[in-house]
Amino acid sequence: MGNFRRTFAGNMEKTIKVIIYEDNRDLREGMTFLIQATPELELLGSFGDCMRIKDQILTLQPDVVLMDIDLPGVTGIEATLVVKSISPQIQVVMLTVFDDEDRIFQAIRNGASGYLLKHTPPSEVIQAIFDVYEGGSPMTANVARKVIQFFQQQPKSQSADYHLSPRELDILRGLMKGYSYKLIADELDISIDTVRSHIRSIYDKLQVNSKTEAILKAIKEKLLD
């Protein structure tokens, strides 16, 4: 696990707090071991369902949630909306066997910032946690391809006026380039907290719940043309 420290330690300002929701016991235990063995990650809890997710999120206050979709009682897609309604800054990464467009786009609409399939190598799942925390939107390659193809096939819509400020447009450009919050802050000579404040305003104006959804809306409506 030392490779993760060499790869990420220079960029990290704090320990990333993680929660897992996965009903497959063997996979949950495997992910638990992997996260506990990775420097700069702290596992706050791992659960087999989302029946008490509101209390768990409020009590534990994670930075990143790894979320299965096919969970008993409350689906991971439904639970993602709960997480984002409690704390929009919490990043949710779906980790699932499902790669159909309906679930992918519903998860994104509900606020997921990443979407990985369960055949993803463990090292890439760990990297995705760091990436999403730093402002990225990690996706398994064929999922990302479906997202791109979907928007390429959509009729071009007329751009609406969302009253984004010049600074918000600059930050949205940075997100579309795949920049982390830190890189955007450095490029614009502002603090990371200021970047996060602007991103919350962007979400509110665009009526979206995640970086991924904001980027897709900007592409579809040509907000930065």
Side-chain angles (χ1 to χ4, degrees):
M1 294 300 168
N3 287 338
F4 293 118
R5 177 175 289 278
R6 288 195 295 271
T7 301
F8 296 107
N11 297 325
M12 296 309 303
E13 297 179 353
K14 56 169 281 188
T15 300
I16 301 175
K17 299 176 182 178
V18 183
I19 290 179
I20 301 169
Y21 288 97
E22 168 59 59
D23 66 338
N24 182 301
R25 182 174 180 177
D26 290 340
L27 181 56
R28 187 170 69 248
E29 290 178 352
M31 289 304 305
T32 294
F33 171 79
L34 192 63
I35 291 171
Q36 289 175 334
T38 301
E40 286 100 30
L41 296 185
E42 177 186 355
L43 184 67
L44 302 180
S46 60
F47 307 100
D49 61 61
C50 293
M51 301 299 289
R52 298 182 58 248
I53 188 167
K54 184 174 181 179
D55 290 340
Q56 290 158 349
I57 295 297
L58 287 169
T59 300
L60 299 175
Q61 299 184 11
D63 299 306
V64 177
V65 175
L66 288 181
M67 181 74 74
D68 189 15
I69 285 181
D70 191 18
L71 294 169
V74 177
T75 71
I77 290 175
E78 295 167 336
T80 296
L81 190 59
V82 174
V83 172
K84 300 301 282 191
S85 68
I86 293 171
S87 182
Q89 68 266 27
I90 296 174
Q91 304 304 314
V92 180
V93 178
M94 312 308 292
L95 186 59
T96 179
V97 297
F98 298 112
D99 65 352
D100 57 284
E101 290 182 0
D102 286 347
R103 287 185 176 91
I104 292 170
F105 289 106
Q106 189 60 56
I108 291 172
R109 282 192 292 268
N110 281 11
S113 293
Y115 199 107
L116 304 178
L117 299 182
K118 286 185 177 178
H119 61 63
T120 302
S123 61
E124 293 182 19
V125 175
I126 293 298
Q127 181 161 347
I129 294 173
F130 286 97
D131 286 348
V132 78
Y133 177 76
E134 293 184 342
S137 296
M139 292 187 186
T140 301
N142 66 314
V143 171
R145 188 176 303 114
K146 287 185 178 184
V147 170
I148 292 170
Q149 288 174 343
F150 175 82
F151 281 92
Q152 287 175 338
Q153 294 165 2
Q154 297 303 300
K156 295 177 181 177
S157 58
Q158 185 175 357
S159 294
D161 186 357
Y162 293 102
H163 304 290
L164 295 173
S165 70
R167 179 64 83 197
E168 289 166 349
L169 290 172
D170 287 340
I171 289 173
L172 188 54
R173 287 188 186 92
L175 293 178
M176 291 182 70
K177 292 176 183 177
Y179 290 176
S180 68
Y181 290 0
K182 184 178 186 305
L183 186 54
I184 292 172
D186 290 345
E187 187 172 89
L188 299 178
D189 195 25
I190 58 179
S191 71
I192 292 179
D193 285 341
T194 299
V195 172
R196 292 192 174 111
S197 177
H198 282 304
I199 287 175
R200 285 193 294 271
S201 177
I202 290 169
Y203 290 179
D204 183 58
K205 290 179 180 180
L206 296 183
Q207 296 185 320
V208 299
N209 296 304
S210 69
K211 295 182 297 294
T212 306
E213 197 177 0
I215 291 167
L216 295 177
K217 190 162 191 174
I219 293 171
K220 183 179 180 181
E221 300 196 16
K222 295 189 171 184
L223 299 183
L224 299 176
D225 279 2

